[in-house]
Each structure stands twice: as C-alpha cells, then as structure tokens.
Amino acid sequence: MCRVLYSGEQEAKLKPNTMNVYIETYGCQMNEYDSEIVKSLLLENDYILVDNPEQADIILLNTCSVREHASRKVIARVHALRHLNNGRQKKIGLLGCMPTNYRRELINDKKLPIDFIAGPDSYKRLASLIDEHIDSGKRTFDIRLSRSETYSDVHPFRAQGVNAWIAVMRGCDNYCTFCVVPYTRGRERSRSVESIVNEARRLAKCGYKQVTLLGQNVNSYQHSEHDFGYLLDKVSEVDGLERIRFTSPHPKDFPRSLLRVVAENDKVCKHIHLPLQAGNTRILDMMNRTYSKEEFLDLVHEIRDFYPDMVLSTDIIVGFPTETETEFDDTVDVVAHVAFDSAFIFKYSERKGTIAARKYPDDVPEAIKTERIVRLNELQKEISLKKNKAHIGQEHKVLIESMTTKKSHTDVQGRNDGNKLVILPGGDYCTGDFVRAKIVDASAHVLKGIVTSVVHAV
Ligand code: SAH
Ligand code: SF4
Ligand code: F3S
C-alpha cells in the first residue's frame, strides 16, 4: 500500500491533543530522505505535518555540517524562528549532521534556543525526546551513532512525485581528510537487497517512474555477497520503474562489472557523478582520496570506452591546505581534459574534528580561494555551454517533473536520461509523463526543447 497520506487521511488521524510539526531540510539528498523517514515516524505518533513554521508547534531543522556556511545558516535560522510570533508555544529541534558534529557545543550552550536534538541514527527516539522535553522542560538529546540502523523497516512519507529517493547504505568509512561525514553519520552499513527491492516495488505501485539510490558512498554498497552492480540490476527488474539513478559514488569503487551494468542496463541512467575533489596527486594523497590524477583520468577513459556519451558531473574543492598555483593548474587541466557536463565547486572549509583540521593549517588565503573558484567556474561554464549546445537538433526522452519552471507558469520542466534539465512548452502531458523532445536551444545549465511526441501517459 502507498505510504503517502493525503490531507483527508491526515485529518482523520487528527486527535484533540496532537501537535503540528514543520520540518525544514538542509544539505544533501540523504537529508531529504531522512526528513521523509522522520515525517513517517512522527505521523505514527499522531503528529500533524504542516507546510509552514507559522502553523507549527514543533519546528524541526534537519541540518548539514559539510561546510562552515551550512552550519552558520542554520544557527541564524534558529534565532529567526525563535522570534517568530505565531501565538503558539513553539519547540525547536535540531536533527541531522550538526548534532553529531557539534555535539558538545549544542548540548552545553545554554543560550541556544534549542529544545531537543537528535542525530541521524536517533530518529526512532525523536517522539520520546519531544515528550521528555515537554515533561521536564529540559533540553533532551540523543546523538548516538549506530553500526546497524538503516531504517529499512520504516516507510518514508513521500510527497507524490516522480522521483523517489531510496537510501541503500548509510555512513562512510573513507575518512577523506577534509570531510565531516564519517563523524556525523558513522560507519558504513547497507540494507538487504530484498528490503530495497520491496521498497522499489511499493514505489512503482504508487506511480513513481524513477528512483535514485542514495548513499554517502553509494557504490561501496555491500550486503552479504551482493555488491552495488548486483543491486542496480535487481532494482531495474521492478516493473513500472523506468529510470534508476544513484548518488554519490566514489571513484575508488567502480569495478568493470559495475561499469558494465551502468552502460548496458537500459533502465540505469547514463549519468555518473564522479567526484574529483582535486586534480593534483599530492593534494589527492593529502585528502586521502586513494587515487592519483592519472588513475582518475584512466577511470574516465574506461567509462567512455564502455559508453562514449556517458554524462559526467563532479565535485571539486579549491584551496585545500598547501595547494600551490601549479597544483591547482592540475585541477584545471583535469577539468579541461575530462570536460565534465557540470561541476559543483567549493572553497575548502576547515571542519572541526577532521583529519585535515588536525594536521594541516587552512593556509590558502581567502582571496586566492576566490580567484581559483572563479577561474574554475568560468572554465566549467564554457565547457557546459559547449556540451549543451551540441545537443541542439537531437531528440531526447524527457520525464516531466514539474508543471511550472522558475521563470514561467506556462512552460514545464523535466530531465533527460543524463539528468539535464529540459524546459518545454506546456501541452497535453503532465508530471510523470515521458515525452520525446527536440532540443532547440541551450544554455550552460538548461536545454530547451519542443515536444515531438508523448511516449506514454500515466
Ligand atoms: N560522499 C560524497 C559527497 C559528500 S559531501 C562524496 O564522497 O563524493 C559533498 C561534497 O562537498 C564533497 O564531494 C566535497 O566536494 C564537498 N566538501 C566536503 N567537505 C568539504 C569541506 N570541508 N570543504 C569544502 N567542500 C567540502
Ligand atoms: Fe566525505 Fe569522502 Fe565519505 Fe564522501 S567519501 S562522504 S567526501 S569522507
Ligand atoms: Fe551535509 Fe550530512 Fe549530507 S554533512 S552533505 S547533510 S551527509
């Protein structure tokens, strides 16, 4: 049965003493998924979900800690929400990665207007934490990390949509020296193939056309003797699902068997997010990425041998400690050489508790980090534009995801197999439909098309 509740059903669950909960999500897709888990667990405890903080008795912020900026934003938001006067006794709770990253500060700072705190593995305790806070008036918390919690027994509460996330593994054992994730999310653990396939079947029954398999390091998935390639094949056997995506993989976990599945399985989208982080081997070593510049380039060549038009995107950090101009040029060189379709580029942000924060002073000046990010973004924009323009005149299969776009209420938007955003004029098709579209224009970020036929409607 679909786990999606409609407003009528929610009202039916309403009890005189129930409280309204509003949840705001920051950070990565795993946090989006976790918010769906939290919603489901709270609904089971008779809370009511609301869409805005004004109507809420309980406000939850599901937080990210990956860069300094992400954390600062949340603290500012907590203060703003505390001042929100909605005539209710608001309670504010912090969830996600900040609780586990700033555990001591958050628990001890009496001035922070936070009522309860739950880390990513403690959501089954959330309703009790709220109750305990209400009973005692004291800040309550549970930020223990688990070696086994995967929430595979919880059916996430999803808004009706086209794409659904499925977390297939949690945690990370890689300890890239710059990264807080192994500390905020704990050790790697994978769900069984069976539980994932069952979730995918339920989603297909509910009308979802696409699932995105999630993990902090998704291709290190391993459950008994089954690896990620096996899992992809099994999920692709689910009738009704038409597209399978995955994120975020690590370049170290791409055996040929997995590349073959991605290249040859028709339902697996031809897009790989391949985080480079840096193009210089000394910096990569300091980052503990476990590959060299040459090994990364070899992997890209191998991927393109399997599937020449594979869409590639990446993550890059500029200004890692001690990175020289010549070493940064190696990153520029890899970006130019690989010609990624798109890239997320970040300035290095020192994170407390990480290996880099302990071993390497954050010594690249801010102005140099800015110079490097601007230069790389400009290069990437040129490459993205050129790659997108090459699609003009081609026909793409597009899954419609939204009946409006940021700029227009008459256009619709969707994505092609390679995950590129495609804007189309509205017509006799709607969210969840596949259409064939001829690409007529392109910018660095989007393709524009006209619909030539509707492949099938739901
Ligand atoms: N698990 C994923 C991504 C995790 S975080 C992976 O391994 O690729 C997403 C991205 O944020 C990373 O790929 C990295 O580029 C960036 N990031 C992580 N820590 C950072 C830091 N301390 N400073 C700047 N960027 C960082
Ligand atoms: Fe962080 Fe590295 Fe793990 Fe990604 S693989 S979550 S960057 S430690
Ligand atoms: Fe942020 Fe935690 Fe995701 S630190 S990127 S929300 S894993």
Side-chain angles (χ1 to χ4, degrees), residues 66-67 178 216 248 275 277 289 315 317 346-347 349 351:
V66 80
R67 282 169 292 276
F178 53 80
Q216 257 78 42
S248 233
Q277 310 301 2
R289 288 295 289 182
D315 289 348
I317 296 175
F346 309 102
K347 291 181 192 174
S349 164
R351 306 309 290 134

Side-chain angles (χ1 to χ4, degrees), residues 172-176 178-182 216-217 250 277 289:
C172 180
D173 287 349
N174 290 332
Y175 289 96
C176 300
F178 53 80
C179 185
V180 285
V181 172
Q216 257 78 42
N217 190 186
H250 191 296
Q277 310 301 2
R289 288 295 289 182

Side-chain angles (χ1 to χ4, degrees), residues 21-89:
V21 182
Y22 166 72
I23 178 161
E24 206 163 88
T25 309
Y26 297 80
C28 62
Q29 292 96 337
M30 186 63 91
N31 260 16
E32 297 282 342
Y33 182 82
D34 281 358
S35 287
E36 294 171 350
I37 297 273
V38 167
K39 286 177 188 173
S40 168
L41 291 166
L42 290 178
L43 283 169
E44 273 169 26
N45 283 280
D46 296 318
Y47 288 89
I48 307 291
L49 300 177
V50 292
D51 291 335
N52 59 67
E54 285 78 17
Q55 292 177 341
D57 304 298
I58 309 264
I59 296 174
L60 301 174
L61 301 181
N62 193 2
T63 64
C64 173
S65 206
V66 80
R67 282 169 292 276
E68 181 65 29
H69 176 70
S71 307
R72 268 203 244 121
K73 213 160 87 180
V74 166
I75 296 297
R77 184 73 176 137
V78 167
H79 288 288
L81 287 168
R82 188 48 86 188
H83 289 110
L84 178 82
N85 189 356
N86 60 348
R88 290 172 190 265
Q89 267 287 356

